[in-house]
Structure formats: structure tokens, C-alpha cells
Amino acid sequence: MSSKSFRGVRLVQFGEFEFDVRAGELRRGQEKVRLQEQPYRILTMLLERPGEVVLREEICKRLWPNGTVVEVSHGINAAVLRLREALGDSAAEPRFIETVARRGYRLLAPVGVERSEAPAFSAGQMASHFRLEEMLGRGGMGVVYRAEDLTLNRLVAVKFLAPEMAGDPLAVSRFRREARTASALNHPNICTVYAVEECSGQPVIVMELLEGRTLESILAEGPLPVEKALPMALQMVAALEAAQRKGIVHRDLKPGNVMVTPFGVKVLDFGLAKQTVTTQSSSARRVSGAASLVGTPNYMAPELFQGREADGRSDLYSFGLMLFEMLAGGPSGAHLGRALPAAAADLEPVIRRALQANPEERWQSAGDLKAALECAAAARTLHPAIRRPFAERMAPFGAAAAVVAVIAFWIWNSAPMRPMAARQASPRTSVQPPAAPAVRLPGMKPEASGRLNLSPDGRLLAFAAGGEIYVRTIAGGESRLVVSEGGTAGTPFWSPDGRWLAYTKGGGLYTVAAKGGTPRRLGGVNTNIAGTWGPDGTILIGEVRGGLLAFSSTGGPSRRVTTPDANRGETRHLLPQFLPGGRAFLYTAGSDQPDGSALYAGSLDSNSRVRIMAVGSGATFVVRSGSKGYLVFHRDGYLMAQPFDAGPLRTEGGAVRLAGPVNGATAAAASGIGIAEASVTASTLVYRPATLSRRILPAAFSAGARGDVVVVKDWMDGLRF
């Protein structure tokens, strides 16, 4: 019997025993014994090739794939001993399993099979209201198809229980548990479960369809540069943090269960996930504990090999192995005795702690690990920006002064994070207006009166004009039409990588490639004002007379993040912006009370918020170094710069005039919040100059031609704390 013949097989008979392949049970008359995972796999190999010698090397590869470092001889011997005990067999006088010295094992009994009548699905057929298009993958329990949902007219991924397991109550229960566990998780970095349905008597899981590559296939091409690996790792650990908040442990985290899409990273397959004992029912615990070894051995934490319970720290061990593999390449488990590449040496302490054999010595939560990675990411962003100018400034003072300054800088950047709370302004801060020259950017469409939006790198400018969305380079050239929406398109805004744009039209939120293409509708929203696109694919946008809504850039339902406080006279929340790390964000709360509008900081992880300062417009935070930078906002016709530290959420000193006068500052609907025609990044500031008459403006300012945009490069050079 070949191994392929087990597909569709339910019962295998040998001697006086029946072996239920689906349930993993040995039956003899009324007796029933459930096999543990390793004896189950060995018996399956022997039944596939009755009378033939199954080599120990073959068993090793089946039990511990990918070269996992284990004590192989002891592990195989122990598994065979347990199997013989279940069969009532002995090595000295074998009836079923014969030991072939220094070679392997052989099944002595003849074998017969009974095929399953469980329904099997295939590409091209209908399953309920799903038209199956192609098989996307097959795992230990399920088969996944790309399918069209004819009821909702959308493409989805549909996961069926494997046909050979469809009649096994244990497998069905575990499959349903997977669906319940995964559907409890609503996070941009976790594959969304839409529904659990029945097709031909089988449970099926309906999930979002992801376009991209598995991390496993990417790593097959070699290690990743730190600049690419670190953002991916932050998204993965953000998914684990969301799961841990629900008391859920994945237990099978590996590169094959991570999908890298154009919109971010997605963690897949909670088929082995379990809830911790405090939140899990006794029946669910029996299902999840049916096998002694769950997960992929190559990425399993040591405590799972020892038969101990998994918790969130077990997932962090698997994550540490994956991150090491992303940075250093080579098979997982080979981290022992190896070093990270020099470019990633600063991440070595973080990974080393994740890979401690004792769970008590690891990171104790995904949130702690994520905070450490965020600090490392912030430091990597900071250092290149300060090294050269800092060294140049310190050179005249000699080495001793430089050492003192470096120590002071290290202390400042190593200060522990404080709770989210607004602080009083520090009197130490002073700011000077920018000295960088401004240049005009002519050639904008005269009707381009919509608001402007710079790409994250400050090189491209997106804007709406006459209902159409355009992109042009700051360096010059013609504006390029991205999408035409017949006079309804709102202000476009960018994805973090600068490859995509989001915008609103006709009460909906859409995304489109910045190079042009077919727009994709994400959901309904009532606004034409820009939102913000986070590093994990979350989009925040404010509604007229409402709060902020969160959408996933890959699709799925929206959720409400904030709600205006009527007791404060708040009428709407608008103009959000993610802060570094992608979980906290700024937004403006418009109010119908005099001077009641204010800038707040909120979080995707809680309902709390912190008031930053009173404003009459939106504000954009631009990082200068570390967590410090400037809030750029509009006041009395001019752009202002307010020093701000995003760590403690504290303004420092007073705001100074930055540029202007600026055109626009028209009030957003139902808010009284002015929105100037301006945009700013760390490298570039652009604004449309006011077109008021000279007798209204001071003589020092001149009105620009209609459609012109003023560009100020390196605008922060003239500012100092």
C-alpha cells in the first residue's frame, strides 16, 4: 500500500485490530486506545508498507522534518515502545512490529482497508453558494480553495476539512474550534474569518482571500535585509499581541503560516491554536490536548517537546526562531552557536531573550517584545540622522567632549517609557523659523484646489482636481492622472511604502495603486477628508458627525475606534495620523463650543485618550530624532511648528511661524476645523500660497499664481530645540 492510498481511507485492518486513521484510534472489539502523535505517525508508515522495512532515517524525517536538533534514537525508541504497549506486542516475541537490527522496523500482519465515503471537493465545482476556482493549499487537517461567493459577489478563501477526517468527531470538533478561535481575532495582521458554514454536511471556514507569498517561500531565496525584516517582524508580533489579549496561543507559528501581502503581513492558520486554561472550556481543552505533540517541531518551544502546556511565551520562542532565520538565513534551529550579521547585531539581545529555554527567562508578553523591537527600530532610524552632523559639531571640542555628549545622548534615549499622559510645556524650548529657501512648483492644474498630500519620502505629491486624482514629482514634470472619479474624489492619502493611495468617493473608501489601476472599495464612509494608513495595513478615517473608523487595507468590515464626546461639545473626529509604531495616533476633535476643538492622542489598543493642546486645524507630527519632532498646524493664515515629544505626549515651549500665508483653511463640515492646503514630511514642506490682495497681506509676502505650490526642502534645518 503506498502512502497516497491513505487519502480517503477511514479504517485499516491488521490482525485483530482496526486502526481509525481519522481519529488516531486503535480498536479491538470493545477496546479503544487513542495513539499519541509520534506512535500514530510510525504506525501509519508501517501500514503504508506492510512487510517492508521502514528505515529509522525515514521515521526521523517524518517525525522531525527540516533537520530539527533532537535526541533521535531515544525519541524513536520511546515512540515504538508506546506503540507496542498499545498493541500488546513485545520486541522479543513480535506479533506486529519486528525490529530489524540497525535498520528499522517492519509490520508483520497483513493489512486491509475500508475507504471513506466522505465527500471530496475539487476545483471547478459548486459547494453551496461557492464556486471553487483552484486549490490554494493542503495542510494536516484542511484543504483551502480560492472561491467566488455568489451570494456576496466577492472572492474568498474556503477551507474544508480534509475528506479523510470528515467523519471523525474529534477532527470536526477541532476544526470548528479553529474557526471559533480565529473568528474571535479582529486584527489587520491576522487573516480574517468571515463565517463558518456547512457544505454537504461538512463544516467550512470562509476567510479573506490573501494575495502574496508565504514567508517560507521568501526565505527560501535567502535572508532578508534588516530594513525589510524588522517591519515584517513588528507586524507579526503585533498579531501575537492581539491574540494574547484574547488569551489565544497559536502553537504552530512558522514561516509557512505567515503571508506577506502588498498591504502587510498576515498570520494564518489557527488550526492548532488554543485558549489558555483561564478562558477555555473543559471540552475544548480535551480536544486541544488529544495529541501529545502539536505544532511543527522545527519551530516549537522546548517545553512542548517535554509535553508541557503551551502559553504565549511558547509563541514568542517560535517568533524568535523565525526572526533569526529572517536575518541570518539557514535552517531554523541552527541558531545555536551562530551569530547574526553585523547589520543586525543590535537585535541580538532581543532575539536571545526570546530564545531562552526557560519560559520564565523569555519575554513575558508579545507587548513587551514588540516594545523592544519598536525601540530598536526607532534607534535605527535615529542614528544615521544624527551621526554625521553630531560628529561634525563635536569635532572642535575634542574626544572628551564627544564622549560626554554620547553618554548624555544614550541616557536620553534609554529613559524608560512613561504612561500616556499629557505634560506641562517645558520653558527650556526655543524655536527659530526655517532658513531653507522656498521654490515654486508651477504647472499644477489651475482647478487643483483640493488638498495636497506628500508621499512618505517627500518626493511625490498627490492631489485631487476636478474629481480626478493626480500624482506628480516634486522635482518637476507633468501631473499624471491616477484615477478619474467624475467630480467626487476626496483628498488622497498614501500607504506607508508609497505604493498605494486611498481616497473617498460617493460615500465609500477606496484604494488604488499610485501608478494607476483598478480601484478597490473597502467599505462605506461619509467624508471627503483624508485619513491615515498605518504600517500594519490599518486605515483610520473620520466621518462627518462621527468618530474615527478603522478599515483593513485588505478588506473586511470596519470598526469604530473613537466616538465624539457630546458632553464636551464634540461634533466629529477627523484628520488622524499614526504615530511611530503604528498603534497610537493623533486626531482632531471638532467642537461646537468656543475654543473647544483640541488635538488628542488615542490608541488602537484602548479607549483612553490624551489631550495634547487646543487647535483650530488639523496637526501633522514630523519626527526629527527619536520620539521628538514638531506638530505642524495652521493658525491665523500661517503654518506653525510646535515642538513635541511623542514618547510622553508632551509639547515643549511655544509654537513659531513656519511658512505662509497659506491658501485654504476652509472649515470641515460639522466641525469648525480649518484645513489648509499644505502637506509636510521630514524632508519636504509644500503649501499653496494665499491669493489675497497685497493691501491685506504684509508687504513681505507675495501672492502666488493660481495653481502654484511652494516647496521648502530641508525645512527643519532652521529649527532647533
Side-chain angles (χ1 to χ4, degrees), residues 373-390:
L373 290 175
E374 286 174 344
C375 289
R380 297 182 71 87
T381 303
L382 173 64
H383 293 166
I386 69 161
R387 271 195 193 117
R388 188 176 67 254
F390 185 81

Side-chain angles (χ1 to χ4, degrees), residues 419-718:
M420 191 184 250
R423 310 292 184 183
Q424 294 298 318
S426 167
R428 297 181 290 104
T429 304
S430 63
V431 184
Q432 299 296 328
V439 296
R440 296 212 178 256
L441 182 65
M444 300 286 285
K445 294 174 70 65
E447 69 272 23
S449 58
R451 297 166 190 120
L452 312 171
N453 225 315
L454 282 166
S455 61
D457 60 10
R459 296 189 303 168
L460 299 174
L461 184 65
F463 60 94
E468 299 173 329
I469 293 177
Y470 293 84
V471 170
R472 64 164 298 160
T473 64
I474 293 298
E478 293 296 320
S479 300
R480 174 170 47 82
L481 178 65
V482 175
V483 64
S484 177
E485 295 294 356
T488 63
T491 307
F493 55 101
W494 296 84
S495 64
D497 60 7
R499 296 173 55 195
W500 300 83
L501 288 167
Y503 64 96
T504 61
K505 71 158 188 176
L509 175 64
Y510 293 79
T511 59
V512 67
K515 294 182 178 180
T518 303
R520 177 185 183 185
R521 190 177 192 273
L522 298 183
V525 63
N526 176 25
T527 188
N528 65 355
I529 298 175
T532 182
W533 193 323
D536 65 357
T538 300
I539 293 177
L540 291 182
I541 192 166
E543 287 198 298
V544 176
R545 296 184 178 85
L548 301 181
L549 296 179
F551 293 81
S552 171
S553 57
T554 58
S558 64
R559 67 182 179 94
R560 187 163 301 280
V561 176
T562 68
T563 302
D565 186 347
N567 295 327
R568 297 173 183 260
E570 293 180 1
T571 54
R572 68 177 295 190
H573 294 164
L574 67 164
L575 298 171
Q577 179 201 355
F578 278 108
L579 292 171
R583 304 303 295 171
F585 53 87
L586 299 175
Y587 66 95
T588 302
S591 174
D592 58 9
Q593 298 179 1
D595 301 321
S597 299
L599 181 69
Y600 286 88
S603 172
L604 293 177
D605 301 321
S606 72
N607 294 325
S608 63
R609 63 175 181 169
V610 175
R611 188 179 188 274
I612 305 299
M613 64 181 188
V615 291
S617 74
T620 301
F621 175 59
V622 184
V623 176
R624 180 161 191 163
S625 64
S627 62
K628 293 191 174 186
Y630 302 98
L631 295 171
V632 178
F633 60 97
H634 181 267
R635 179 194 292 167
D636 299 329
Y638 294 89
L639 292 178
M640 310 295 290
Q642 168 67 61
F644 179 68
D645 190 336
L649 298 174
R650 178 180 63 205
T651 59
E652 301 190 353
V656 297
R657 184 178 292 175
L658 186 62
V662 179
N663 195 43
T666 55
S671 73
I673 295 296
I675 307 178
E677 294 185 40
S679 183
V680 61
T681 69
S683 63
T684 309
L685 167 70
V686 299
Y687 67 92
R688 200 184 305 279
T691 54
L692 301 175
S693 66
R694 278 187 177 276
R695 60 188 181 82
I696 297 177
L697 296 173
F701 297 99
S702 61
R706 180 168 180 169
D708 280 3
V709 170
V710 174
V711 180
V712 183
K713 299 291 289 184
D714 302 321
W715 61 274
M716 283 194 286
D717 286 357

Side-chain angles (χ1 to χ4, degrees), residues 234-253:
L234 280 167
Q235 295 177 58
M236 289 158 54
V237 79
L240 294 180
E241 183 184 30
Q244 287 185 9
R245 285 198 300 270
K246 295 282 189 178
I248 293 172
V249 184
H250 190 288
R251 297 204 296 174
D252 195 23
L253 192 66

